[in-house]
Amino acid sequence: MAIDPMQQIQETVSFLKEQYPHQPEVGIVLGSGLGNFANAIAIEKEVAYEDIPNFPVSTVQGHKGRLIFGELSGKKVVAMAGRFHFYEGYTPQEVVFPVRVMKLLGIQTLLLSNAAGGVNPDFKVGDIMIIKDHVSFFTPNPLIGKNIEAFGPRFPDMSEPYKKDLIVTAKKIAGNHGFDIKEGVYVAVTGPTFETRAEYKLIFTLGGDVVGMSTVQECIVANHMGIKVFAVSIITDLGIREEENVITHEEVLQAAKEAEPKLATLFTELVASI
């Protein structure tokens, strides 16, 4: 018997509403090494992924694996401390399942973060880049298959996947705090291997500023459902101009940790402005 995806989502939403009765306005997804940002949230309820019906379970180091409900800048939020990736063996539909759930819980805005490899030669480790656009051709589209009309159209528009008004506000916040912020194009790949030197060069030639293994599937589904999206990449390694460098996941996590205070400021004040 075929599984009804809408029924699964509704089951999960019903369970979470029993755990936390308030309606969150903003959803937040914390990428590799960025889980400590959850400390900025006045936590009212935490639920481990393994306790949530139909929820995948995060298997990656640096991803804590819990759903956090609480308050940030006076607004109710729901945050994922740890996300799911296609390279873990999940289907694209499983990867975006939490975003579908967050929509039915009530969110109208989604803030995404990730650790990414710098491709733009002007970038350095520790930089924060606002994602203004993305290239998703190298990963499976999560909307492949039967369309759920209740969520959105068969052919959703992606001309403004990351909302310009949120980008403008984020730049002002960075300027007010005197930290440099980049802006560019995120190219998504499946992983889990880091890119070869030839692949970095290809991505740079295609117009990519950073490369990563997440985010775009979540962004696509959020746009499908009419959720406003803002996303940032923490540059945790450089792939194109260091001929002798070798990238490790531990280095990625460390670089993310060092950039985290800036991300916390950005997200906290951005939520306040919504």
PDB file of all heavy atoms in Angstrom, residues 179-218:
ATOM      1  N   PHE A 179      30.709  44.325  10.512  1.00  0.00           N
ATOM      2  CA  PHE A 179      31.388  43.155   9.941  1.00  0.00           C
ATOM      3  C   PHE A 179      31.071  43.004   8.451  1.00  0.00           C
ATOM      4  O   PHE A 179      29.994  43.318   7.982  1.00  0.00           O
ATOM      5  CB  PHE A 179      31.170  41.862  10.732  1.00  0.00           C
ATOM      6  CG  PHE A 179      29.751  41.357  10.875  1.00  0.00           C
ATOM      7  CD1 PHE A 179      29.130  40.672   9.849  1.00  0.00           C
ATOM      8  CD2 PHE A 179      29.054  41.523  12.075  1.00  0.00           C
ATOM      9  CE1 PHE A 179      27.847  40.168   9.998  1.00  0.00           C
ATOM     10  CE2 PHE A 179      27.762  41.029  12.226  1.00  0.00           C
ATOM     11  CZ  PHE A 179      27.162  40.358  11.184  1.00  0.00           C
ATOM     12  N   ASP A 180      32.109  42.560   7.757  1.00  0.00           N
ATOM     13  CA  ASP A 180      32.032  42.396   6.307  1.00  0.00           C
ATOM     14  C   ASP A 180      31.119  41.214   5.981  1.00  0.00           C
ATOM     15  O   ASP A 180      31.185  40.178   6.642  1.00  0.00           O
ATOM     16  CB  ASP A 180      33.446  42.143   5.763  1.00  0.00           C
ATOM     17  CG  ASP A 180      33.462  41.939   4.259  1.00  0.00           C
ATOM     18  OD1 ASP A 180      32.743  42.677   3.558  1.00  0.00           O
ATOM     19  OD2 ASP A 180      34.185  41.044   3.787  1.00  0.00           O
ATOM     20  N   ILE A 181      30.279  41.395   4.973  1.00  0.00           N
ATOM     21  CA  ILE A 181      29.430  40.277   4.561  1.00  0.00           C
ATOM     22  C   ILE A 181      29.470  40.168   3.040  1.00  0.00           C
ATOM     23  O   ILE A 181      29.456  41.170   2.332  1.00  0.00           O
ATOM     24  CB  ILE A 181      27.985  40.440   5.100  1.00  0.00           C
ATOM     25  CG1 ILE A 181      27.233  39.099   5.067  1.00  0.00           C
ATOM     26  CG2 ILE A 181      27.212  41.522   4.371  1.00  0.00           C
ATOM     27  CD1 ILE A 181      26.103  38.999   6.066  1.00  0.00           C
ATOM     28  N   LYS A 182      29.589  38.964   2.557  1.00  0.00           N
ATOM     29  CA  LYS A 182      29.653  38.730   1.109  1.00  0.00           C
ATOM     30  C   LYS A 182      28.241  38.407   0.587  1.00  0.00           C
ATOM     31  O   LYS A 182      27.300  38.205   1.353  1.00  0.00           O
ATOM     32  CB  LYS A 182      30.585  37.560   0.797  1.00  0.00           C
ATOM     33  CG  LYS A 182      31.962  37.638   1.436  1.00  0.00           C
ATOM     34  CD  LYS A 182      32.772  38.789   0.900  1.00  0.00           C
ATOM     35  CE  LYS A 182      34.207  38.744   1.441  1.00  0.00           C
ATOM     36  NZ  LYS A 182      34.946  39.965   1.112  1.00  0.00           N
ATOM     37  N   GLU A 183      28.140  38.324  -0.707  1.00  0.00           N
ATOM     38  CA  GLU A 183      26.875  37.965  -1.357  1.00  0.00           C
ATOM     39  C   GLU A 183      27.224  37.177  -2.611  1.00  0.00           C
ATOM     40  O   GLU A 183      28.179  37.515  -3.306  1.00  0.00           O
ATOM     41  CB  GLU A 183      26.116  39.249  -1.724  1.00  0.00           C
ATOM     42  CG  GLU A 183      24.679  39.023  -2.160  1.00  0.00           C
ATOM     43  CD  GLU A 183      23.968  40.351  -2.445  1.00  0.00           C
ATOM     44  OE1 GLU A 183      24.528  41.422  -2.149  1.00  0.00           O
ATOM     45  OE2 GLU A 183      22.847  40.295  -2.979  1.00  0.00           O
ATOM     46  N   GLY A 184      26.492  36.100  -2.888  1.00  0.00           N
ATOM     47  CA  GLY A 184      26.846  35.335  -4.073  1.00  0.00           C
ATOM     48  C   GLY A 184      25.932  34.165  -4.348  1.00  0.00           C
ATOM     49  O   GLY A 184      24.856  34.031  -3.768  1.00  0.00           O
ATOM     50  N   VAL A 185      26.410  33.308  -5.262  1.00  0.00           N
ATOM     51  CA  VAL A 185      25.635  32.172  -5.765  1.00  0.00           C
ATOM     52  C   VAL A 185      26.144  30.877  -5.137  1.00  0.00           C
ATOM     53  O   VAL A 185      27.355  30.612  -5.120  1.00  0.00           O
ATOM     54  CB  VAL A 185      25.734  32.088  -7.310  1.00  0.00           C
ATOM     55  CG1 VAL A 185      25.037  30.826  -7.832  1.00  0.00           C
ATOM     56  CG2 VAL A 185      25.143  33.337  -7.951  1.00  0.00           C
ATOM     57  N   TYR A 186      25.199  30.087  -4.618  1.00  0.00           N
ATOM     58  CA  TYR A 186      25.497  28.790  -3.997  1.00  0.00           C
ATOM     59  C   TYR A 186      25.236  27.691  -5.020  1.00  0.00           C
ATOM     60  O   TYR A 186      24.155  27.627  -5.608  1.00  0.00           O
ATOM     61  CB  TYR A 186      24.580  28.620  -2.786  1.00  0.00           C
ATOM     62  CG  TYR A 186      24.717  27.333  -1.999  1.00  0.00           C
ATOM     63  CD1 TYR A 186      25.506  27.281  -0.855  1.00  0.00           C
ATOM     64  CD2 TYR A 186      24.024  26.173  -2.352  1.00  0.00           C
ATOM     65  CE1 TYR A 186      25.606  26.121  -0.096  1.00  0.00           C
ATOM     66  CE2 TYR A 186      24.118  25.007  -1.602  1.00  0.00           C
ATOM     67  CZ  TYR A 186      24.918  24.990  -0.476  1.00  0.00           C
ATOM     68  OH  TYR A 186      25.007  23.844   0.266  1.00  0.00           O
ATOM     69  N   VAL A 187      26.222  26.857  -5.240  1.00  0.00           N
ATOM     70  CA  VAL A 187      26.058  25.707  -6.134  1.00  0.00           C
ATOM     71  C   VAL A 187      25.952  24.453  -5.268  1.00  0.00           C
ATOM     72  O   VAL A 187      26.820  24.195  -4.425  1.00  0.00           O
ATOM     73  CB  VAL A 187      27.239  25.580  -7.121  1.00  0.00           C
ATOM     74  CG1 VAL A 187      27.091  24.318  -7.970  1.00  0.00           C
ATOM     75  CG2 VAL A 187      27.310  26.813  -8.021  1.00  0.00           C
ATOM     76  N   ALA A 188      24.868  23.711  -5.460  1.00  0.00           N
ATOM     77  CA  ALA A 188      24.629  22.518  -4.641  1.00  0.00           C
ATOM     78  C   ALA A 188      25.081  21.263  -5.378  1.00  0.00           C
ATOM     79  O   ALA A 188      24.793  21.082  -6.557  1.00  0.00           O
ATOM     80  CB  ALA A 188      23.151  22.413  -4.299  1.00  0.00           C
ATOM     81  N   VAL A 189      25.782  20.403  -4.634  1.00  0.00           N
ATOM     82  CA  VAL A 189      26.193  19.097  -5.155  1.00  0.00           C
ATOM     83  C   VAL A 189      25.711  18.037  -4.157  1.00  0.00           C
ATOM     84  O   VAL A 189      25.299  18.358  -3.050  1.00  0.00           O
ATOM     85  CB  VAL A 189      27.725  19.023  -5.330  1.00  0.00           C
ATOM     86  CG1 VAL A 189      28.174  19.973  -6.428  1.00  0.00           C
ATOM     87  CG2 VAL A 189      28.462  19.339  -4.022  1.00  0.00           C
ATOM     88  N   THR A 190      25.771  16.781  -4.551  1.00  0.00           N
ATOM     89  CA  THR A 190      25.228  15.739  -3.675  1.00  0.00           C
ATOM     90  C   THR A 190      26.149  15.417  -2.506  1.00  0.00           C
ATOM     91  O   THR A 190      25.681  15.072  -1.422  1.00  0.00           O
ATOM     92  CB  THR A 190      24.975  14.424  -4.445  1.00  0.00           C
ATOM     93  OG1 THR A 190      26.223  13.914  -4.911  1.00  0.00           O
ATOM     94  CG2 THR A 190      24.019  14.637  -5.604  1.00  0.00           C
ATOM     95  N   GLY A 191      27.489  15.542  -2.681  1.00  0.00           N
ATOM     96  CA  GLY A 191      28.401  15.017  -1.671  1.00  0.00           C
ATOM     97  C   GLY A 191      28.306  13.496  -1.673  1.00  0.00           C
ATOM     98  O   GLY A 191      27.679  12.909  -2.540  1.00  0.00           O
ATOM     99  N   PRO A 192      28.878  12.791  -0.690  1.00  0.00           N
ATOM    100  CA  PRO A 192      29.565  13.349   0.464  1.00  0.00           C
ATOM    101  C   PRO A 192      31.043  13.663   0.250  1.00  0.00           C
ATOM    102  O   PRO A 192      31.692  14.147   1.161  1.00  0.00           O
ATOM    103  CB  PRO A 192      29.411  12.240   1.513  1.00  0.00           C
ATOM    104  CG  PRO A 192      29.415  10.977   0.708  1.00  0.00           C
ATOM    105  CD  PRO A 192      28.713  11.332  -0.576  1.00  0.00           C
ATOM    106  N   THR A 193      31.589  13.397  -0.934  1.00  0.00           N
ATOM    107  CA  THR A 193      32.987  13.768  -1.162  1.00  0.00           C
ATOM    108  C   THR A 193      33.105  15.276  -1.292  1.00  0.00           C
ATOM    109  O   THR A 193      32.212  15.932  -1.831  1.00  0.00           O
ATOM    110  CB  THR A 193      33.502  13.143  -2.467  1.00  0.00           C
ATOM    111  OG1 THR A 193      32.539  13.387  -3.513  1.00  0.00           O
ATOM    112  CG2 THR A 193      33.725  11.654  -2.350  1.00  0.00           C
ATOM    113  N   PHE A 194      34.209  15.833  -0.780  1.00  0.00           N
ATOM    114  CA  PHE A 194      34.544  17.202  -1.131  1.00  0.00           C
ATOM    115  C   PHE A 194      34.932  17.206  -2.612  1.00  0.00           C
ATOM    116  O   PHE A 194      35.275  16.159  -3.180  1.00  0.00           O
ATOM    117  CB  PHE A 194      35.685  17.731  -0.248  1.00  0.00           C
ATOM    118  CG  PHE A 194      35.271  17.946   1.177  1.00  0.00           C
ATOM    119  CD1 PHE A 194      35.790  17.167   2.204  1.00  0.00           C
ATOM    120  CD2 PHE A 194      34.345  18.931   1.500  1.00  0.00           C
ATOM    121  CE1 PHE A 194      35.403  17.367   3.524  1.00  0.00           C
ATOM    122  CE2 PHE A 194      33.943  19.142   2.822  1.00  0.00           C
ATOM    123  CZ  PHE A 194      34.469  18.353   3.833  1.00  0.00           C
ATOM    124  N   GLU A 195      34.904  18.364  -3.217  1.00  0.00           N
ATOM    125  CA  GLU A 195      35.073  18.458  -4.667  1.00  0.00           C
ATOM    126  C   GLU A 195      36.529  18.246  -5.097  1.00  0.00           C
ATOM    127  O   GLU A 195      37.461  18.574  -4.352  1.00  0.00           O
ATOM    128  CB  GLU A 195      34.599  19.846  -5.161  1.00  0.00           C
ATOM    129  CG  GLU A 195      33.116  20.084  -4.982  1.00  0.00           C
ATOM    130  CD  GLU A 195      32.694  20.181  -3.514  1.00  0.00           C
ATOM    131  OE1 GLU A 195      33.408  20.829  -2.728  1.00  0.00           O
ATOM    132  OE2 GLU A 195      31.669  19.575  -3.153  1.00  0.00           O
ATOM    133  N   THR A 196      36.703  17.744  -6.294  1.00  0.00           N
ATOM    134  CA  THR A 196      38.050  17.667  -6.878  1.00  0.00           C
ATOM    135  C   THR A 196      38.438  19.074  -7.331  1.00  0.00           C
ATOM    136  O   THR A 196      37.598  19.971  -7.450  1.00  0.00           O
ATOM    137  CB  THR A 196      38.095  16.724  -8.096  1.00  0.00           C
ATOM    138  OG1 THR A 196      37.319  17.304  -9.158  1.00  0.00           O
ATOM    139  CG2 THR A 196      37.538  15.338  -7.762  1.00  0.00           C
ATOM    140  N   ARG A 197      39.721  19.255  -7.611  1.00  0.00           N
ATOM    141  CA  ARG A 197      40.179  20.573  -8.079  1.00  0.00           C
ATOM    142  C   ARG A 197      39.502  20.936  -9.402  1.00  0.00           C
ATOM    143  O   ARG A 197      39.128  22.095  -9.623  1.00  0.00           O
ATOM    144  CB  ARG A 197      41.695  20.571  -8.214  1.00  0.00           C
ATOM    145  CG  ARG A 197      42.372  20.189  -6.905  1.00  0.00           C
ATOM    146  CD  ARG A 197      43.849  20.512  -6.873  1.00  0.00           C
ATOM    147  NE  ARG A 197      44.472  19.868  -5.710  1.00  0.00           N
ATOM    148  CZ  ARG A 197      44.313  20.249  -4.458  1.00  0.00           C
ATOM    149  NH1 ARG A 197      43.533  21.258  -4.177  1.00  0.00           N
ATOM    150  NH2 ARG A 197      44.919  19.611  -3.475  1.00  0.00           N
ATOM    151  N   ALA A 198      39.320  19.954 -10.268  1.00  0.00           N
ATOM    152  CA  ALA A 198      38.667  20.217 -11.558  1.00  0.00           C
ATOM    153  C   ALA A 198      37.204  20.627 -11.355  1.00  0.00           C
ATOM    154  O   ALA A 198      36.677  21.500 -12.056  1.00  0.00           O
ATOM    155  CB  ALA A 198      38.761  18.981 -12.457  1.00  0.00           C
ATOM    156  N   GLU A 199      36.554  19.998 -10.371  1.00  0.00           N
ATOM    157  CA  GLU A 199      35.153  20.338 -10.090  1.00  0.00           C
ATOM    158  C   GLU A 199      35.029  21.760  -9.540  1.00  0.00           C
ATOM    159  O   GLU A 199      34.115  22.504  -9.909  1.00  0.00           O
ATOM    160  CB  GLU A 199      34.553  19.315  -9.116  1.00  0.00           C
ATOM    161  CG  GLU A 199      34.257  17.985  -9.782  1.00  0.00           C
ATOM    162  CD  GLU A 199      34.007  16.841  -8.801  1.00  0.00           C
ATOM    163  OE1 GLU A 199      34.297  16.990  -7.593  1.00  0.00           O
ATOM    164  OE2 GLU A 199      33.523  15.786  -9.264  1.00  0.00           O
ATOM    165  N   TYR A 200      35.965  22.149  -8.661  1.00  0.00           N
ATOM    166  CA  TYR A 200      35.956  23.533  -8.162  1.00  0.00           C
ATOM    167  C   TYR A 200      36.079  24.516  -9.321  1.00  0.00           C
ATOM    168  O   TYR A 200      35.377  25.527  -9.376  1.00  0.00           O
ATOM    169  CB  TYR A 200      37.120  23.758  -7.190  1.00  0.00           C
ATOM    170  CG  TYR A 200      36.799  23.418  -5.751  1.00  0.00           C
ATOM    171  CD1 TYR A 200      37.475  22.396  -5.092  1.00  0.00           C
ATOM    172  CD2 TYR A 200      35.838  24.139  -5.041  1.00  0.00           C
ATOM    173  CE1 TYR A 200      37.204  22.082  -3.766  1.00  0.00           C
ATOM    174  CE2 TYR A 200      35.554  23.832  -3.714  1.00  0.00           C
ATOM    175  CZ  TYR A 200      36.241  22.807  -3.084  1.00  0.00           C
ATOM    176  OH  TYR A 200      35.962  22.515  -1.773  1.00  0.00           O
ATOM    177  N   LYS A 201      36.978  24.207 -10.241  1.00  0.00           N
ATOM    178  CA  LYS A 201      37.186  25.112 -11.379  1.00  0.00           C
ATOM    179  C   LYS A 201      35.940  25.185 -12.262  1.00  0.00           C
ATOM    180  O   LYS A 201      35.564  26.254 -12.750  1.00  0.00           O
ATOM    181  CB  LYS A 201      38.408  24.661 -12.186  1.00  0.00           C
ATOM    182  CG  LYS A 201      39.712  24.993 -11.465  1.00  0.00           C
ATOM    183  CD  LYS A 201      40.941  24.420 -12.158  1.00  0.00           C
ATOM    184  CE  LYS A 201      42.193  24.752 -11.342  1.00  0.00           C
ATOM    185  NZ  LYS A 201      43.355  23.995 -11.755  1.00  0.00           N
ATOM    186  N   LEU A 202      35.285  24.045 -12.445  1.00  0.00           N
ATOM    187  CA  LEU A 202      34.037  24.021 -13.225  1.00  0.00           C
ATOM    188  C   LEU A 202      32.979  24.896 -12.546  1.00  0.00           C
ATOM    189  O   LEU A 202      32.319  25.717 -13.199  1.00  0.00           O
ATOM    190  CB  LEU A 202      33.522  22.584 -13.346  1.00  0.00           C
ATOM    191  CG  LEU A 202      32.113  22.438 -13.944  1.00  0.00           C
ATOM    192  CD1 LEU A 202      32.122  22.772 -15.428  1.00  0.00           C
ATOM    193  CD2 LEU A 202      31.551  21.053 -13.723  1.00  0.00           C
ATOM    194  N   ILE A 203      32.820  24.733 -11.236  1.00  0.00           N
ATOM    195  CA  ILE A 203      31.810  25.487 -10.492  1.00  0.00           C
ATOM    196  C   ILE A 203      32.095  26.988 -10.576  1.00  0.00           C
ATOM    197  O   ILE A 203      31.182  27.798 -10.759  1.00  0.00           O
ATOM    198  CB  ILE A 203      31.745  24.983  -9.029  1.00  0.00           C
ATOM    199  CG1 ILE A 203      31.111  23.590  -9.010  1.00  0.00           C
ATOM    200  CG2 ILE A 203      30.966  25.942  -8.130  1.00  0.00           C
ATOM    201  CD1 ILE A 203      31.388  22.793  -7.748  1.00  0.00           C
ATOM    202  N   PHE A 204      33.368  27.351 -10.465  1.00  0.00           N
ATOM    203  CA  PHE A 204      33.748  28.768 -10.585  1.00  0.00           C
ATOM    204  C   PHE A 204      33.425  29.296 -11.985  1.00  0.00           C
ATOM    205  O   PHE A 204      32.878  30.394 -12.142  1.00  0.00           O
ATOM    206  CB  PHE A 204      35.248  28.915 -10.283  1.00  0.00           C
ATOM    207  CG  PHE A 204      35.740  30.330 -10.370  1.00  0.00           C
ATOM    208  CD1 PHE A 204      35.249  31.311  -9.518  1.00  0.00           C
ATOM    209  CD2 PHE A 204      36.694  30.681 -11.313  1.00  0.00           C
ATOM    210  CE1 PHE A 204      35.707  32.621  -9.594  1.00  0.00           C
ATOM    211  CE2 PHE A 204      37.155  31.988 -11.397  1.00  0.00           C
ATOM    212  CZ  PHE A 204      36.662  32.956 -10.538  1.00  0.00           C
ATOM    213  N   THR A 205      33.727  28.497 -12.996  1.00  0.00           N
ATOM    214  CA  THR A 205      33.446  28.891 -14.388  1.00  0.00           C
ATOM    215  C   THR A 205      31.945  29.074 -14.628  1.00  0.00           C
ATOM    216  O   THR A 205      31.523  29.938 -15.393  1.00  0.00           O
ATOM    217  CB  THR A 205      34.008  27.822 -15.365  1.00  0.00           C
ATOM    218  OG1 THR A 205      35.399  27.652 -15.105  1.00  0.00           O
ATOM    219  CG2 THR A 205      33.812  28.227 -16.810  1.00  0.00           C
ATOM    220  N   LEU A 206      31.149  28.268 -13.944  1.00  0.00           N
ATOM    221  CA  LEU A 206      29.679  28.350 -14.091  1.00  0.00           C
ATOM    222  C   LEU A 206      29.077  29.551 -13.353  1.00  0.00           C
ATOM    223  O   LEU A 206      27.879  29.802 -13.465  1.00  0.00           O
ATOM    224  CB  LEU A 206      29.030  27.071 -13.550  1.00  0.00           C
ATOM    225  CG  LEU A 206      29.224  25.791 -14.353  1.00  0.00           C
ATOM    226  CD1 LEU A 206      28.644  24.605 -13.606  1.00  0.00           C
ATOM    227  CD2 LEU A 206      28.577  25.912 -15.730  1.00  0.00           C
ATOM    228  N   GLY A 207      29.898  30.266 -12.592  1.00  0.00           N
ATOM    229  CA  GLY A 207      29.381  31.430 -11.878  1.00  0.00           C
ATOM    230  C   GLY A 207      29.103  31.194 -10.407  1.00  0.00           C
ATOM    231  O   GLY A 207      28.474  32.025  -9.749  1.00  0.00           O
ATOM    232  N   GLY A 208      29.574  30.066  -9.861  1.00  0.00           N
ATOM    233  CA  GLY A 208      29.364  29.793  -8.444  1.00  0.00           C
ATOM    234  C   GLY A 208      30.374  30.517  -7.572  1.00  0.00           C
ATOM    235  O   GLY A 208      31.537  30.658  -7.945  1.00  0.00           O
ATOM    236  N   ASP A 209      29.914  30.982  -6.423  1.00  0.00           N
ATOM    237  CA  ASP A 209      30.801  31.616  -5.442  1.00  0.00           C
ATOM    238  C   ASP A 209      31.152  30.662  -4.310  1.00  0.00           C
ATOM    239  O   ASP A 209      32.228  30.760  -3.725  1.00  0.00           O
ATOM    240  CB  ASP A 209      30.133  32.870  -4.870  1.00  0.00           C
ATOM    241  CG  ASP A 209      29.951  33.945  -5.928  1.00  0.00           C
ATOM    242  OD1 ASP A 209      30.973  34.501  -6.381  1.00  0.00           O
ATOM    243  OD2 ASP A 209      28.808  34.213  -6.321  1.00  0.00           O
ATOM    244  N   VAL A 210      30.210  29.773  -3.983  1.00  0.00           N
ATOM    245  CA  VAL A 210      30.455  28.739  -2.978  1.00  0.00           C
ATOM    246  C   VAL A 210      29.816  27.438  -3.454  1.00  0.00           C
ATOM    247  O   VAL A 210      28.954  27.436  -4.339  1.00  0.00           O
ATOM    248  CB  VAL A 210      29.878  29.104  -1.584  1.00  0.00           C
ATOM    249  CG1 VAL A 210      30.511  30.376  -1.038  1.00  0.00           C
ATOM    250  CG2 VAL A 210      28.372  29.224  -1.610  1.00  0.00           C
ATOM    251  N   VAL A 211      30.236  26.340  -2.826  1.00  0.00           N
ATOM    252  CA  VAL A 211      29.671  25.031  -3.150  1.00  0.00           C
ATOM    253  C   VAL A 211      29.358  24.306  -1.853  1.00  0.00           C
ATOM    254  O   VAL A 211      30.101  24.402  -0.877  1.00  0.00           O
ATOM    255  CB  VAL A 211      30.623  24.196  -4.043  1.00  0.00           C
ATOM    256  CG1 VAL A 211      31.986  23.995  -3.383  1.00  0.00           C
ATOM    257  CG2 VAL A 211      30.005  22.854  -4.406  1.00  0.00           C
ATOM    258  N   GLY A 212      28.209  23.599  -1.830  1.00  0.00           N
ATOM    259  CA  GLY A 212      27.822  22.868  -0.636  1.00  0.00           C
ATOM    260  C   GLY A 212      26.901  21.717  -0.946  1.00  0.00           C
ATOM    261  O   GLY A 212      26.541  21.482  -2.110  1.00  0.00           O
ATOM    262  N   MET A 213      26.505  20.991   0.114  1.00  0.00           N
ATOM    263  CA  MET A 213      25.759  19.732  -0.048  1.00  0.00           C
ATOM    264  C   MET A 213      24.353  19.805   0.550  1.00  0.00           C
ATOM    265  O   MET A 213      23.781  18.785   0.907  1.00  0.00           O
ATOM    266  CB  MET A 213      26.539  18.588   0.624  1.00  0.00           C
ATOM    267  CG  MET A 213      27.971  18.448   0.147  1.00  0.00           C
ATOM    268  SD  MET A 213      28.927  17.287   1.173  1.00  0.00           S
ATOM    269  CE  MET A 213      30.596  17.616   0.615  1.00  0.00           C
ATOM    270  N   SER A 214      23.813  21.016   0.683  1.00  0.00           N
ATOM    271  CA  SER A 214      22.497  21.144   1.325  1.00  0.00           C
ATOM    272  C   SER A 214      21.736  22.338   0.765  1.00  0.00           C
ATOM    273  O   SER A 214      22.040  22.830  -0.317  1.00  0.00           O
ATOM    274  CB  SER A 214      22.683  21.310   2.847  1.00  0.00           C
ATOM    275  OG  SER A 214      23.319  22.544   3.137  1.00  0.00           O
ATOM    276  N   THR A 215      20.739  22.781   1.476  1.00  0.00           N
ATOM    277  CA  THR A 215      20.062  24.085   1.357  1.00  0.00           C
ATOM    278  C   THR A 215      19.120  24.241   0.173  1.00  0.00           C
ATOM    279  O   THR A 215      17.977  24.686   0.346  1.00  0.00           O
ATOM    280  CB  THR A 215      21.097  25.245   1.369  1.00  0.00           C
ATOM    281  OG1 THR A 215      21.853  25.163   2.584  1.00  0.00           O
ATOM    282  CG2 THR A 215      20.445  26.608   1.248  1.00  0.00           C
ATOM    283  N   VAL A 216      19.568  23.884  -1.050  1.00  0.00           N
ATOM    284  CA  VAL A 216      18.723  24.212  -2.210  1.00  0.00           C
ATOM    285  C   VAL A 216      17.415  23.416  -2.235  1.00  0.00           C
ATOM    286  O   VAL A 216      16.376  23.953  -2.636  1.00  0.00           O
ATOM    287  CB  VAL A 216      19.466  24.051  -3.561  1.00  0.00           C
ATOM    288  CG1 VAL A 216      20.660  24.981  -3.645  1.00  0.00           C
ATOM    289  CG2 VAL A 216      19.862  22.626  -3.826  1.00  0.00           C
ATOM    290  N   GLN A 217      17.446  22.164  -1.790  1.00  0.00           N
ATOM    291  CA  GLN A 217      16.201  21.382  -1.779  1.00  0.00           C
ATOM    292  C   GLN A 217      15.207  21.983  -0.791  1.00  0.00           C
ATOM    293  O   GLN A 217      14.012  22.091  -1.086  1.00  0.00           O
ATOM    294  CB  GLN A 217      16.510  19.919  -1.449  1.00  0.00           C
ATOM    295  CG  GLN A 217      17.277  19.227  -2.572  1.00  0.00           C
ATOM    296  CD  GLN A 217      17.769  17.834  -2.208  1.00  0.00           C
ATOM    297  OE1 GLN A 217      18.084  17.545  -1.058  1.00  0.00           O
ATOM    298  NE2 GLN A 217      17.847  16.964  -3.200  1.00  0.00           N
ATOM    299  N   GLU A 218      15.715  22.435   0.357  1.00  0.00           N
ATOM    300  CA  GLU A 218      14.852  23.084   1.340  1.00  0.00           C
ATOM    301  C   GLU A 218      14.283  24.387   0.782  1.00  0.00           C
ATOM    302  O   GLU A 218      13.106  24.705   0.975  1.00  0.00           O
ATOM    303  CB  GLU A 218      15.662  23.362   2.618  1.00  0.00           C
ATOM    304  CG  GLU A 218      16.120  22.091   3.325  1.00  0.00           C
ATOM    305  CD  GLU A 218      17.408  22.266   4.120  1.00  0.00           C
ATOM    306  OE1 GLU A 218      18.127  23.261   3.901  1.00  0.00           O
ATOM    307  OE2 GLU A 218      17.697  21.394   4.942  1.00  0.00           O
TER     308      GLU A 218
END
